[in-house]
Amino acid sequence: MSPKGKILVVDDDRLVLATLTHGLSQAGYEILDADNGDDAILLARQHRPDLALLDIRMEGMSGFDVAEYLRDYCQMPFMFLSAFADEATVNQVKALGAVAYLVKPLDVREIVPVVEAAFTKIGGRAAPAAPEKPAAPSDADVLAQAVPMAVGVLMHRYSLSRKVAYERLQRLAVADGRSIQEQAERLLQAVELLSS
């Protein structure tokens, strides 16, 4: 069976790296892995993966540094997996143009559908087209990220699973008579206000 696509997985936690590598391989992806930013960039240049899944806080180069390099020099889409959901981190994720942002801890079974959605969003396997600077995310793209980011904030703040955090966001929306999108935006605004 041919792989669904090639993914570069980068995390300085060897257990997380092994778990992600195994789970994504089982889901049919070809995996390259690195436990630091320098190795990640070398692998990206040599093997041209279709997508990179990056931890944010690592020794040496951060995931943000790696993402910026991949975006600017390899025109490679990337997503983040991090234990942090503070305002500065979320803003940096948006500014870099990540295709997705997941908050740890996560079961690999929760990651596979997000990776599959990311491949759909980037048009399947990346074509070796002429390098082109990615466009900045539109307002609509940023607003569409409000619900997953709000779920991530609730997961982090209350140590909830993704499903329970999403259900909590839904209950808050119903209680306040708002759509889940509006409730997510209010929650993110409150986080921004509290951290300013």
Side-chain angles (χ1 to χ4, degrees), residues 8-117:
L8 171 61
V9 180
V10 188
D11 199 307
D12 61 355
D13 181 325
R14 295 302 253 152
L15 180 59
V16 171
L17 189 61
T19 303
L20 289 172
T21 299
H22 177 74
L24 291 168
S25 294
Q26 293 293 105
Y29 293 97
E30 181 182 341
I31 304 299
L32 303 165
D33 66 349
D35 63 2
N36 65 74
D38 293 322
D39 287 352
I41 286 173
L42 285 173
L43 285 170
R45 290 176 61 176
Q46 288 172 354
H47 300 280
R48 307 296 296 181
D50 303 311
L51 177 70
L53 176 54
L54 308 169
D55 183 24
I56 292 177
R57 299 197 183 169
M58 300 184 286
E59 291 291 319
M61 292 182 82
S62 73
F64 290 149
D65 297 329
V66 175
E68 193 169 352
Y69 183 92
L70 297 180
R71 181 193 68 193
D72 295 345
Y73 298 99
C74 302
Q75 291 74 46
M76 185 181 301
F78 53 87
M79 55 193 288
F80 290 111
L81 177 63
S82 175
F84 301 93
D86 55 278
E87 182 196 2
T89 301
V90 171
N91 287 340
Q92 184 79 355
V93 166
K94 285 185 203 173
L96 285 166
V99 293
Y101 177 49
L102 298 167
V103 180
K104 295 178 189 175
L106 279 177
D107 187 295
V108 76
R109 288 169 300 188
E110 296 174 281
I111 295 171
V112 170
V114 178
V115 167
E116 288 171 351

